[in-house]
Amino acid sequence: MFLKKLIKWLSRTFGNFLLTLGITLFILSFFASSALNNLDSLKNTLVNELTTDDVLSEISGIDIKQARELCKTNPALEECKRLNDIKNEFANNTEVNNLLNKAGGYSKYLLPLRILSFVLFILGFLFIFLGSEFSLFLAGKKVALSAAITSLFAVIYYKLLPNLFESVFNSAQIQEKLKEFSSVIVEKVKNIVINWITLQLNSAFKIALILTVVFALIFIALKIYEKKKGKEKISN
């Protein structure tokens, strides 16, 4: 008797683990997909914001607006040519572009990741089914509740992650390493990166919210059905 209960508990526990892992990876794949597809937008925003006259003046210690005025009278100067081409130099940086291309190559793993998450979900369901004495109804109820809770936790931490990133960025250790850079530039980069990450996290947040609602509704429907059947048995 004890051994049977232990096996059922182990089966349900392992099933819940696989289920949680499958849902977590599925939601994570939406963040990864959004991030990989929008790396160029991050680069373009950084290039546009870090090559403004105000930022360039902060970096170089030269009044760039005044320099541009001087360049109008003598555009053939090498310094003037470089000033006009500085945005293109940033945008066409070989190391940065190679890094982005390498990161973009990971998009080929997104489909296998989603297939893996689906397989883990099915396996989790099967183990919970075995631990529920082969009752499809009980297994469905446990799976729906577990999936709803997992998705709800994902909703919470995907919502809180931008604040966590900002806290890490503002930590004493990070600020100590960045103190040699201009505070204006550091703040600008921080805002760009955190805003970009927040936009990418939104896709994962939305799918987690949808899954929470769907599985919660399934669980509620099964509970209502269970109560209805219980009342019918009592009346009979």
Side-chain angles (χ1 to χ4, degrees), residues 2 15 34 36 72 75 82 96 99 111 119 128 137 141 146 154 197 221:
F2 172 76
S34 181
L36 291 173
K72 288 179 181 179
R82 287 201 63 190
V96 172
L99 182 63
L111 180 58
V119 171
I128 292 173
F137 178 81
K141 195 170 65 170
S146 179
I197 289 175

Side-chain angles (χ1 to χ4, degrees), residues 79-96:
E79 290 80 1
C80 294
K81 291 179 180 179
R82 287 201 63 190
L83 182 59
N84 291 329
D85 291 338
I86 195 163
K87 184 171 288 189
N88 290 331
E89 287 183 22
F90 270 86
N92 297 320
N93 184 283
T94 304
E95 291 183 5
V96 172

Side-chain angles (χ1 to χ4, degrees), residues 10-50:
L10 288 173
S11 181
R12 290 196 303 269
T13 302
F14 187 59
N16 277 319
F17 169 74
L18 293 177
L19 197 75
T20 300
L21 182 60
I23 293 173
T24 300
L25 290 177
F26 181 71
I27 296 171
L28 178 64
S29 72
F30 282 86
F31 165 67
S33 176
S34 181
L36 291 173
N37 289 331
N38 288 286
L39 285 173
D40 282 338
S41 70
L42 174 61
K43 186 190 83 168
N44 292 335
T45 302
L46 285 169
V47 169
N48 290 332
E49 291 296 324
L50 296 180

